[in-house]
Structures are given as C-alpha cells and as structure tokens.
C-alpha cells in the first residue's frame, strides 16, 4: 500500500469560494477538526493578502500541532516573509511558493518570459528554504502549459530546494489520461523528480477533479490537494471525502491508503458547511443527505435484507450514521452527557450545562429528539464566537394582503452598554423582512440580506428548522445560522449570528481607527 498524503486547502482555496468569509476563530475550529480528521497538511491561508489571514495562520500554527501547516506565497520577497512570519510558531511549517506556467498567464498576468519565471521561482524557493526545510512549489495552469517548459521549471525548482512539487490543473481543463501522463513525465523525466513528493491539485470545472486526482495518484503522485465538500474557486476543488473514500473503498484497486479517520468525515462536512454557509447538495457523494437514502422499492427491500446489496460504504463508518431516536422528556443530564460523548463532543462543564437546558426546552416541543437534533444544537451553541448581541424576545404579526410587523428585544453582551436591552419594531413585505429590519435597527447595523435558506433537521412535522443566511455589510459577506422548532426564531437567530460577525469586524476597525474616519 502506498501512503498518500492529504493536503487540505479548505482554509485557503476553499475560502476563495464566492461569498465565503471565515472569521479567525472559525478558521481555528476548522483546523482543529481537520487535525481530528487526520489530514497530513493544512494550508491555513495566504498571509500576505491581509492582516486577518496572517493572524489566522499564526493562530493555527500555534494551536494545531500534528499536521504540517502550510502558508501560500507568490514569488515575491514580501509574500515569503509574511508566510515565514505567520509560521514562526508552527511545529511543522511549510511555505508553498507558486507561480504560473501557461503562456496565457505569463503574457497577461505575470508579463514575464519563461526564463524570468524560472529565475523568480528559484530565488523564492531559496529564500523560503532559509526559513523552513519544507518548501512546496506550484506552477498554476500546468495542464494548459508547454510540457517542455513545465519540466524545465520543475527541474530548476527541485535543484533550488523544493521538497514537494505540486501540479495544479487550475482551470479544471485536463482529463485523467493527460494528467497521469504529465505526472509520470515529472517522475520519470525531470532530474530529481523521483526524489521529491509530487502533489496533484485539481479544480472541478468539468466535474473531473476527483477522477483526475485519482489518476494523478495512480501515476505516481503521493500527495493530493483537496477541500472539504469540494469547495473552492468557481466549481471548487477536489472533494476530500470523495477521494478519501474512493481510496478506502477501492483499496483492492488503488493499493493506496491515507491517514484519514473516516468516522470524522460527517462532522467535518457539517462544520465546514455551517461555517462557510455553503450547503451540501443532497445528492453529493459521501456526505449528501441522500447519499445513503434508498427510494426505489427494490432497493429498499434489498437493503433491509442485506445492507451491502445497494451500499458500498457503511454510513456509520463515515460518521453519517442512521438517525437514532435518542431521548425525550424524561431523559436526564447523565444520559445527555453520554450522548454528547458518543457523538464525539468533549465540551466544558458550562457548555454542557447550557446545552442540557436547550435540550430540555426542545423536548417540550418535540417528542423524539434525534442524533441530528443534538448535533444541530451543539453546533449551533459551540460555533458562536464574539457574540455582541443576543435575542431576548421577538414577536411577528403576519396576515395575507397586509404588510408584516415585527418587534424585537436584543441585549448587548459586551462593552459599556453590557446588559442593556434595545427594543425596536419594523414593517416588511413578509415576516422575515419585518424581523430583519427590526434587528437592523436594534443593532444599528445596516446589512443587506444576500441569501436565505431553510432546511428541516430530520423529518416529521415537529422537526426543527435550520436557517442559513448571508449578509453584505460594508463590502464584506458574513454568514449566520440558527436552529429552532419555530422557523421565525431560527430566522432571527441566523440573521443575528451574521450581524454579530459584522459587529466584531466593526469593533475591530474602531479599535484600529479610533477616530472613526477610516472605520469600515
Ligand atoms: O489552482 C491553483 O493553481 C492554485 C495554486 C495556488 C496551487 O490554487
Ligand atoms: Zn486551486
């Protein structure tokens, strides 16, 4: 079995997905979960792009110790210095230097000749090696490039000290056969190509990212760059869970293995979806809601008699276990704590206490509380950071043919006004609009609603509703989520969650520019 290294780029390429804007604390939570999942390398960010990115990479490097932590850098001195600075505290730091290989990139983006690109790459790799021993090198758009130039540039990069050579299909253009041939060429024809790690990085513009990645690995690459739920630029990156489960399920064929703990896949997928605000399509392989649902009578009959008649993976092995009826009204604190443990949550006493209170409140409204309900409650509770405002009460009045009205009470959680409850009312075309306008007034944050989606947690008429929304505030996007048996409450909580993130950024800007003149 060949051991394949999983390089996760959810926090870098994944975060480049349109509309995604992860907060620092959210990035740390995702990095911690990726560590639990067993990825080998976490690409934590692109430090030169912003102060926020630099400090997030730095925090991850400090707190997440098992995987290698990588930071991205162009072939510029300032980029390499920023990456090195962000990685100072890392146990296993890697600088990932990238340039471009295709003629169209060289002509229009870099405005450099092939020789100049090679010279800049060599100088940057040597500079990065002065900070760290582990340097990865990538040439964007390798699959629309002249192979002779690709081989020449990679040979120079290896000679300069690159320890991993990444081959990106930046625009998702290649096919499995073509990709395999290039990987084989690098291994066999490039001087030193048999001594370095070779990585593959595919995008999904033609829906071929997973197939191309697997073909590259089969042709001799030993690292693949992937993102949870396949998120990333445009159509996304190769999906981590699909590659990991293809390798695990078809071990007989691929003769490869990874360090991924498949049981953590479900939780990782949910966490990334929740924090990025990007829903997982129901028919998504491995992690979609329908991935293990059987509709046709013949299929149902088969699965009831023997699961493997129509299932090639066991959903429980990837943390997508069947919903079990958990508890109800009479379940006590001890049973609830055991359930939290069984679902893999280790939480401080205070959080368990609050969750038990919410669980009890839920059992008043819902007879059967399922594993999904508990997961939703926990995730709703633990992935909230820096909340400045809390919903105290709301009232919505809505009838056909007339505008809706809403009143809300919002308490301030921090600062001089801590504990103060602000009450506001507003009118809207519908109940959600009225509610959101009232919340804007109560918080003083004028944000445009960009997206709103509601989904039930499990089935049944008493199911909880989970709302996800995204808002635009002063040019930035913030996503929020909320869960409740009352969908208007879930809507209010989701919007307030997003407003709280905007408030955190507003407060940070005010700290940096106390005069307010340059505040966001
Ligand atoms: O797609 C791409 O080429 C990239 C590089 C930075 C590796 O993301
Ligand atoms: Zn990419």
């Amino acid at each position: 079995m060949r051991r394949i290294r999983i390089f996760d780029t959810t926090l870098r390429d994944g975060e480049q997905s349109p509309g995604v804007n992860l907060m620092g604390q959210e990035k740390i939570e995702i990095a911690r979960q990726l560590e639990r999942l067993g990825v080998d390398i976490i690409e934590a960010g692109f430090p030169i792009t912003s102060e926020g990115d630099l400090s997030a990479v730095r925090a991850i490097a400090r707190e997440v110790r098992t995987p290698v932590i990588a930071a991205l850098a162009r072939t510029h001195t300032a980029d390499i210095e920023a990456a090195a600075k962000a990685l100072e505290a890392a146990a296993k730091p890697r600088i990932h230097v990238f340039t471009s290989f295709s003629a169209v990139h060289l002509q229009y983006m870099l405005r450099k000749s092939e020789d100049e690109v090679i010279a800049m790459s060599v100088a940057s790799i040597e500079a990065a090696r002065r900070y760290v021993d582990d340097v990865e090198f990538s040439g964007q758009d390798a699959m629309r490039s002249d192979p002779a130039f690709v081989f020449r540039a990679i040979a120079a990069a290896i000679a300069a000290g690159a320890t991993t050579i990444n081959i990106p299909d930046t625009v998702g253009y290649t096919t499995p056969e073509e990709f395999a041939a290039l990987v084989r060429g690098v291994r066999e024809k490039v001087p030193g190509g048999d001594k370095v790690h070779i990585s593959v990085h595919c995008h999904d513009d033609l829906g071929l990212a997973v197939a191309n990645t697997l073909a590259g690995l089969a042709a001799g690459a030993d690292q693949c760059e992937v993102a949870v739920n396949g998120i990333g630029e445009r159509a996304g990156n190769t999906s981590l869970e699909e590659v990991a489960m293809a390798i695990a399920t078809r071990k007989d064929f691929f003769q490869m293995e990874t360090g991924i703990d498949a049981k953590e896949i479900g939780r990782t997928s949910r966490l990334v979806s929740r924090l990025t605000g990007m829903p997982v399509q129901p028919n998504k392989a491995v992690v979609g809601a329908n991935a293990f649902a059987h509709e046709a009578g013949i299929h149902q009959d088969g699965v009831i008699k023997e699961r493997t008649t129509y299932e090639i993976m066991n959903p429980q092995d990837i943390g997508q276990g069947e919903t079990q009826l958990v508890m109800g009204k009479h379940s006590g604190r001890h049973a609830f704590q055991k359930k939290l443990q069984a679902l893999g949550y280790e939480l401080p006493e205070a959080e368990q206490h609050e969750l038990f209170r919410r669980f009890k409140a839920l059992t008043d409204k819902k007879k059967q509380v399922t594993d999904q309900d508990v997961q939703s409650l926990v995730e709703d509770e633990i992935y909230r950071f820096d909340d400045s405002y809390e919903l105290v009460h709301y009232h919505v009045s809505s009838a056909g043919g007339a505008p809706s009205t809403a009143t809300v009470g919002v308490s301030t959680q921090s600062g001089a006004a801590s504990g103060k409850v602000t009450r506001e009312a507003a009118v809207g075309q519908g109940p959600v609009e009225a509610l959101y306008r009232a919340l804007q007034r109560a918080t003083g944050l004028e944000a445009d609603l960009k997206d709103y989606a509601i989904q039930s947690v499990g089935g049944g008429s008493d199911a909880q509703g989970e709302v996800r929304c995204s808002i635009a505030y002063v040019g930035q996007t913030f996503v929020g989520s909320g869960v409740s048996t009352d969908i208007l409450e879930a809507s209010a909580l989701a919007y307030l969650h997003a407003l709280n993130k905007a408030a955190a950024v507003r407060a940070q800007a005010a700290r940096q520019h106390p005069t307010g003149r340059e505040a966001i």
Side-chain angles (χ1 to χ4, degrees), residues 259-442:
I260 294 296
D261 176 359
K263 279 208 155 48
E264 292 291 334
I265 285 179
R267 182 166 163 190
T268 314
S269 165
R270 279 194 308 277
L271 172 65
V272 169
S273 173
R274 175 179 288 268
L275 297 187
T276 58
M278 290 188 75
V280 174
Q281 78 199 52
N283 61 330
K284 165 88 171 59
V286 186
V287 291
N290 293 351
F292 297 95
H294 304 278
E295 182 69 24
I298 295 177
H299 289 218
Q300 286 179 348
D301 183 53
V303 170
I304 288 166
K305 288 179 177 141
E306 166 55 42
R307 189 188 58 76
T308 56
T309 50
Y310 284 99
E311 278 183 2
I312 59 167
M313 296 169 271
N314 185 343
Q316 278 161 1
D317 291 346
I318 49 176
Q320 295 284 78
E322 278 160 31
T323 292
Q324 291 156 16
L325 297 185
V326 195
M327 295 164 281
K329 237 182 171 55
H330 304 294
S331 309
R333 188 180 295 272
H334 187 63
F336 182 69
Q337 279 172 346
K338 286 196 98 161
K339 178 49 74 181
L340 291 180
Q341 271 168 15
L343 291 172
Y345 297 109
E346 288 163 31
L347 302 171
E349 195 70 19
E351 254 168 19
Q352 288 193 24
H353 189 77
E354 173 59 16
L355 278 166
F356 184 65
R357 189 195 63 71
R358 289 184 64 178
F359 162 72
K360 276 297 192 193
L362 181 61
T363 60
D364 280 342
K365 298 178 192 148
K366 197 167 185 284
K367 249 205 332 276
Q368 297 173 327
V369 177
T370 64
D371 281 3
Q372 278 171 301
D373 286 318
V374 175
Q375 278 165 345
S376 239
L377 272 190
V378 176
E379 289 167 7
D380 193 56
E381 183 66 31
I382 64 179
Y383 301 130
R384 287 184 185 277
F385 314 102
D386 300 330
D387 275 7
S388 307
Y389 302 106
E390 210 167 80
L391 185 67
V392 180
H393 62 79
Y394 66 98
H395 177 85
V396 182
S397 165
S398 180
S404 302
T405 56
T407 50
V408 297
V410 168
S411 71
T412 305
Q413 299 298 302
S414 55
S418 183
K420 181 178 162 223
V421 176
T422 308
R423 294 175 220 283
E424 284 290 352
V427 176
Q429 288 304 316
V432 173
E433 190 185 19
L435 199 49
Y436 285 7
R437 282 192 176 157
L439 286 169
Q440 282 188 20
R441 285 186 185 160

Side-chain angles (χ1 to χ4, degrees), residues 26 86 149 254 262 426:
E26 294 176 328
F149 172 55
F254 290 112

